[in-house]
Amino acid sequence: MPINRKETCKQALMRRILTLDLPPGSELEESQLAADYGLSRTPLREVFQALAGEGYLRLETHRGARVAAMDVGTLRSLFQTAPLLYASLARLAATNRRAAGLDALREGQARFLAAVQAEDAAAAALENHAFLLTVGKMADNPYLLPALRRLLVDHTRFGSDFFRAGTKKDRKQVKKAGQRNGELIAAIEAGDADQAVALILQGWEVSRARIERSLQSDPLPVEIAAPVDGGETPA
């Protein structure tokens, strides 16, 4: 089976998972996906195995493939790990910078800004994912890059609400994110590791706060019962 069909299927499933088009915990329908991408069951299951290894799917014996869950434990690990990993990668990217990597960052930044301008939340989330991955590749560390790939699966999914800017404040934060990415590129290009670390951590803190806010339930309306027959309102 041509490798391009498998890769097309893999990339499409990754995008759908990252944008929550395939919700966490949902089961993948093998026969439908095989038909959609012109794959037989064997190469499709190879795609599933690859995605499971990268943290996108969970394979269950006799139950097929499910999209990886997003639970409290996952969120806790994300909050613990992200600042440490991002800081290390930003510092190394500034230290090990190369022209090709800087060009890739600028191209990614242009695509991100275009998605923001078009108010395409899904595209903006995917471009931000790609931008952070490019920073990780520039760090040129074979131990940290796999960790970043895994972390970005959950950071992008948990943070997908960030780019759905509903209020003026939200839109301002998204615009600021674009500006911060531009400043990060400049810091990496200048080899200013401390500034690169500060900028990437600022971005993470904004994302973390937005994730926490999105997980807070709106309070239920408080109904105050009217007194009956002149009695007191129930406590």
Side-chain angles (χ1 to χ4, degrees):
M1 186 61 60
I3 188 66
N4 63 321
R5 290 189 184 181
K6 289 173 60 176
E7 187 62 25
T8 296
C9 177
K10 180 183 177 184
Q11 294 298 323
L13 290 176
M14 288 168 62
R15 289 193 296 271
R16 294 182 65 189
I17 291 169
L18 291 174
T19 58
L20 303 183
D21 180 54
L22 288 172
S26 60
E27 184 175 359
L28 300 188
E29 178 53 56
E30 285 192 23
S31 58
Q32 184 61 56
L33 289 172
D36 289 344
Y37 296 101
L39 295 172
S40 63
R41 290 294 179 91
T42 296
L44 180 61
R45 288 173 180 172
E46 290 172 354
V47 171
F48 287 173
Q49 289 172 351
L51 291 176
E54 296 177 27
Y56 288 86
L57 299 178
R58 184 177 72 254
L59 302 182
E60 301 177 340
T61 305
H62 306 306
R63 296 187 64 182
R66 290 184 179 274
V67 178
M70 292 164 58
D71 54 26
V72 173
T74 302
L75 183 62
R76 183 182 298 112
S77 295
L78 175 64
F79 282 4
Q80 290 173 338
T81 308
L84 301 174
L85 185 58
Y86 285 141
S88 297
L89 291 169
R91 183 171 298 281
L92 287 171
T95 303
N96 301 326
R97 64 199 182 283
R98 298 288 186 275
L102 289 166
D103 288 343
L105 280 180
R106 294 189 187 98
E107 292 168 3
Q109 167 75 338
R111 291 191 299 270
F112 173 77
L113 293 176
V116 171
Q117 180 65 28
E119 298 185 354
D120 187 336
L126 291 173
E127 291 300 343
N128 188 66
H129 179 107
F131 182 89
L132 291 171
L133 184 57
T134 300
V135 172
K137 291 176 179 177
M138 290 185 70
D140 194 24
N141 186 293
Y143 300 108
L144 295 181
L145 185 58
L148 175 66
R149 291 184 186 277
R150 178 62 188 87
L151 182 140
L152 281 174
V153 175
D154 295 321
H155 183 181
T156 301
R157 292 193 297 166
F158 274 115
S160 61
D161 182 64
F162 179 82
F163 299 103
R164 299 187 182 98
T167 67
K168 183 177 180 180
K169 181 179 179 181
D170 292 339
R171 290 190 292 273
K172 185 176 180 180
Q173 282 191 335
V174 172
K175 183 178 180 181
K176 180 62 178 176
Q179 295 172 347
R180 190 183 300 109
N181 283 352
E183 293 170 2
L184 177 59
I185 294 172
I188 291 174
E189 183 174 21
D192 190 340
D194 289 341
Q195 178 68 354
V197 170
L199 287 165
I200 206 165
L201 290 182
Q202 286 174 21
W204 161 248
E205 282 303 310
V206 172
S207 181
R208 180 195 57 76
R210 185 65 177 268
I211 292 172
E212 288 183 336
R213 193 181 83 182
S214 70
L215 295 176
Q216 293 175 354
S217 300
D218 293 330
L220 294 173
V222 178
E223 298 289 343
I224 301 178
V228 178
D229 296 332
E232 295 182 354
T233 302

